[in-house]
DNA sequence: ATCAATATTGCAGTCACTCTAAAATTTGGT
DNA sequence: ACCAAATTTTAGAGTGACTGCAATATTGAT
């Protein structure tokens, strides 16, 4: 045994605190539970709680932050011939079918999401995590593609892709919140994912192009001149 | 006079508080200034400060939040024949030359930025603002293009574009922070902007495509075949 | 001047979080 | 089993943002 009594007790105490906290949060919402209550429930002092968790939010996100470099793995383990985007496309589509927790597509994710959406503090923390994840993925992409330090492309690409997957995941959660079953959501989500990944790959250059004619501008027929004049005056 | 004494005094008090706050923040950093100090400097009680500003962060972002629907205007006022992306391309490139405050490209923006980057609280608030701006722009785009309520494309496009402009703006600020002059930054920023907008328009489908050769796939040496064979076989 | 509306203030309190010093507990050596 | 050092836990006091309430000061209209 390389784990003494001391280590075990610490691990147990930490776990007890986290478990009690999660129970209270799920029952009454994040903001309506005080750290003092968590401490009482775990039978420790408030100071001990802060000894293990730096902030109240950490009580909730304990293990969540482990997922901070998950997207990097998708890039690193992409198959030969696969671009970064297609790697994520395949990963995400698989995730839909398997109810992958990495994108919040698993069964119990909605209870979790409800809690987050109701708490400004947790929302802020989630955005912070998103930011960190963006940075991680950008670094990995830069590394994989050998981009120079002044090159903004890795950060750009990371942001674009994660923006898309987050949007899709959030949309699914939102539909779940509204009462739809995963069964009903899945096929639509697949379509939407395909559509957004197509846009990622092929670009949004033509999106929302305003018609060149102005006669009957917002009369009724808006579907003429779809690809009329793609200008390319940029360097 | 449609403004009585009462109204004027309120306006003046509010302004005095905001000014004093900004002065203290710029001098000593956001986190190292207490609301009580701001109150003392403005010669009012702490309660009066909270009477005008809901949170400490509001003291800093007072007028900033006015800019929440600025991007929407770019879309609405785009010229005939212009897509959403090209509208932003032109707007941003103009902004670079004119040192536009809307993108934080004006002369005094770096002092501001330093303050924000050093304060976790302000960073969180900025991200919150970004989120709101995203939502606004998405709504405008949906409106302009007549997208249905279930269509994720407007949100997607809004996120992609704002992600790009924010990245560019942040990069410029970061270089400013490092001591470069706007004069030196401007031309490079233009190039980077052109590059990212090109990617927005044409897509990132081929970015980071891994070579198809497989010989020493995951043996020991990890640095084989960097850019070997880029081919376009997607479809 | 006086009254009603409202702006400002003082005060007490909550909650997250910090710091410090005093227990309580575990560990290693004898 | 016992002691001493290391470490964990705790109590207690304090800070700072923010809330709620009741008292007070100021303004607007008569």
């Amino acid at each position: 045994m390389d784990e003494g009594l001391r280590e075990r007790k610490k691990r147990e105490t930490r776990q007890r605190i986290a478990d009690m906290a999660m129970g209270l949060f799920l029952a009454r919402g994040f903001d309506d539970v005080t750290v003092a209550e968590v401490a009482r429930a775990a039978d420790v002092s408030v100071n001990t709680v802060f000894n293990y968790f730096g902030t109240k939010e950490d009580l909730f996100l304990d293990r969540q932050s482990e997922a901070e470099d998950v997207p990097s793995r998708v890039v690193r383990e992409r198959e030969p011939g696969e671009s970064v985007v297609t790697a994520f496309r395949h990963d995400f589509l698989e995730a839909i079918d398997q109810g992958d927790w990495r994108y919040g597509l698993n069964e119990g994710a909605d209870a979790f999401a409800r809690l987050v959406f109701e708490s400004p503090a947790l929302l802020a923390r989630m955005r912070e995590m998103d930011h960190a994840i963006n940075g991680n993925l950008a670094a990995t992409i830069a590394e994989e593609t050998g981009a120079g330090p002044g090159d903004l492309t890795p950060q750009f690409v990371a942001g674009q892709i994660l923006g898309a997957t987050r949007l899709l995941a959030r949309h699914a959660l939102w539909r779940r919140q509204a009462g739809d079953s995963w069964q009903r959501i899945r096929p639509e989500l697949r379509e939407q994912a395909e559509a957004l990944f197509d846009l990622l790959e092929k670009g949004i250059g033509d999106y929302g192009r305003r018609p060149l004619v102005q006669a009957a501008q917002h009369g009724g027929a808006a579907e003429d001149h779809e690809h009329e004049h793609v200008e390319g005056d940029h360097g």
Side-chain angles (χ1 to χ4, degrees), chain A:
Chain A
M1 307 290 170
D2 57 350
E3 191 195 48
L5 174 63
R6 195 165 228 153
E7 314 293 321
R8 203 192 67 223
K9 275 204 165 184
K10 275 180 68 173
R11 195 168 41 75
E12 286 172 349
T13 301
R14 184 196 166 90
Q15 195 57 48
R16 195 171 66 250
I17 294 172
D19 290 346
M20 286 299 170
M22 188 56 74
L24 289 173
F25 292 155
L26 286 172
R28 291 165 32 205
F30 184 78
D31 293 330
D32 288 343
V33 175
T34 73
V35 176
E37 285 175 308
V38 173
R40 250 207 333 267
D43 200 42
V44 293
S45 76
V46 174
N47 284 25
T48 301
V49 174
F50 283 114
N51 192 13
Y52 285 104
F53 303 90
T55 67
K56 186 185 177 187
E57 288 78 29
D58 287 334
L59 283 170
F60 182 82
L61 295 165
D62 193 14
R63 316 197 45 205
Q64 247 61 32
S65 58
E66 293 175 11
E68 268 193 10
D69 47 28
V70 163
S72 292
R73 263 205 293 282
V74 177
V75 175
R76 283 208 200 84
E77 296 169 3
R78 73 193 190 280
E79 291 174 26
E82 225 176 20
S83 74
V84 177
V85 185
T86 47
F88 274 98
R89 182 200 284 264
H90 296 144
D91 189 62
F92 191 82
L93 287 174
E94 273 183 37
I96 293 176
D97 292 331
Q98 297 170 4
D100 201 321
W101 62 272
R102 294 176 302 149
Y103 294 102
L105 300 174
N106 52 325
E107 205 59 49
D110 44 337
F112 229 60
R114 185 177 48 80
L115 223 40
V116 173
F117 287 135
E118 278 173 3
S119 162
L122 285 182
L123 272 177
R125 187 53 168 274
M126 286 292 284
R127 282 194 273 265
E128 200 181 322
M129 273 185 49
D130 287 347
H131 188 72
I133 293 175
N134 260 48
N136 283 350
L137 179 57
T140 302
I141 290 179
E143 197 178 312
E144 286 273 322
T145 62
D151 191 357
L152 295 182
T153 321
Q155 283 194 263
F156 174 79
V157 172
Q160 306 285 299
I161 293 174
L162 292 179
T165 57
R166 272 199 288 268
L167 179 57
L168 289 163
R170 187 151 50 88
H171 180 70
L173 251 350
W174 182 79
R175 300 235 0 216
R176 198 67 246 278
Q177 213 79 343
D180 286 347
S181 72
W182 283 114
Q183 297 299 337
R184 187 196 300 278
I185 295 171
R186 237 183 282 273
E188 276 190 52
L189 186 57
R190 253 193 297 270
E191 284 178 37
Q192 290 166 320
E194 299 278 17
L196 291 196
F197 275 105
D198 282 349
L199 285 178
L200 272 179
E201 292 189 13
K202 297 191 239 173
I204 55 179
D206 284 331
Y207 188 76
R209 164 161 275 127
R210 185 163 263 176
L212 281 168
V213 286
Q214 69 272 58
Q217 185 168 338
H218 63 94
E223 63 279 47
D224 45 2
H225 321 288
E226 209 160 36
H227 296 142
E228 178 126 4
H229 168 69
V230 181
E231 65 177 6
D233 64 340
H234 51 272

